[in-house]
Amino acid sequence: MWSNHNEFLKTSALFDEPNFILKIIEFITFYPNKMILIVDDIRANIIALKKTLELHDLDVDTAESGEEALKKILKTDYCLIIMDVQMPGLDGFEVVKILSGNKKTQEIPVIFLSAINIEKKYIFKGYETGAVDYITKPVDTDLLILKVKTFLKIYEQKNELKAMKDLLSKEIKIRKEAQD
């Protein structure tokens, strides 16, 4: 099977097959990665949030620092990151700023969680840095799950559109070459 849409696009003779649309549908249903990364320096927070997400059949990975998160993000494709703001070393704002400046990671939605930085200026900073949401603790788990599922759906739809665009671009190229 394909590990990502670039590998899928390299599949030979794909566009010559009469079931081209079926291949697109097969790819789209396979491709979406639903791994969520939780980043928090407090282990108890990670465990509680991880259990909550897993109860809703969501795949979860964890990191206990901004530095560890960056290392994991370089190796694994995540569809969503839930990140504490206040952490030793690289804080959540710094990590998201780094992610926003990288083509590979700039599209990963980030939800900030914070118990300390709940003032409006910090919430604004979170959004300005590139987060898609900013939730203050204590967290309403029902609301968090709804938000997580919404951002997962948006992320999946963006990937589907990108995959379709890439496939259609390749199809156009092949047809133009065939005309020449």
Side-chain angles (χ1 to χ4, degrees):
M1 211 45 149
W2 312 285
S3 62
N4 60 44
H5 80 277
N6 288 329
E7 191 174 303
F8 176 77
L9 289 173
K10 293 176 186 172
T11 304
S12 61
L14 172 70
F15 299 98
D16 297 334
E17 295 184 25
N19 58 353
F20 174 68
I21 297 299
L22 293 175
K23 287 286 187 184
I24 292 174
I25 293 167
E26 178 185 345
F27 169 71
I28 288 172
T29 55
F30 168 78
Y31 178 66
N33 171 24
K34 302 224 176 168
M35 180 67 73
I36 299 169
L37 179 64
I38 300 170
V39 186
D40 199 316
D41 60 314
I42 300 172
R43 189 84 187 123
N45 292 345
I46 288 176
I47 292 168
L49 187 53
K50 183 176 182 189
K51 286 190 183 297
T52 300
L53 295 174
E54 288 175 341
L55 283 173
H56 293 271
D57 297 320
L58 298 167
D59 295 325
V60 180
D61 192 8
T62 64
E64 294 186 23
S65 69
E67 295 84 356
E68 181 184 357
L70 288 173
K71 288 177 187 172
K72 286 188 169 199
I73 292 164
L74 290 174
K75 295 177 185 173
T76 305
D77 291 329
Y78 295 100
C79 61
L80 179 67
I81 300 169
I82 302 173
M83 183 169 312
D84 185 30
V85 173
Q86 184 88 23
M87 295 183 289
L90 287 176
D91 68 19
F93 294 132
E94 294 168 318
V95 173
V96 172
K97 192 170 186 175
I98 292 167
L99 296 177
S100 296
N102 182 310
K103 284 190 186 248
K104 181 183 183 274
T105 58
Q106 66 188 4
E107 295 297 321
I108 305 171
V110 177
I111 298 174
F112 275 131
L113 294 180
S114 184
I116 299 170
N117 298 325
I118 59 174
E119 295 174 31
K120 193 185 253 186
K121 68 180 181 180
Y122 294 111
I123 295 170
F124 274 46
K125 184 176 180 180
Y127 285 111
E128 288 172 350
T129 306
V132 295
D133 209 344
Y134 195 108
I135 300 173
T136 56
K137 295 176 186 175
V139 175
D140 177 333
T141 55
D142 293 330
L143 184 59
L144 178 66
I145 292 300
L146 287 173
K147 289 182 178 214
V148 164
K149 288 184 176 182
T150 298
F151 288 120
L152 289 177
K153 185 173 185 170
I154 292 168
Y155 184 82
E156 185 176 301
Q157 290 170 340
K158 284 173 84 173
N159 279 336
E160 288 172 3
L161 287 172
K162 182 175 180 358
M164 290 288 276
K165 179 183 172 232
D166 291 348
L167 287 168
L168 291 173
S169 294
K170 186 157 185 171
E171 175 70 7
I172 289 168
K173 182 181 174 188
I174 288 170
R175 289 181 184 211
K176 282 182 179 179
E177 288 173 359
Q179 286 177 347
D180 295 338

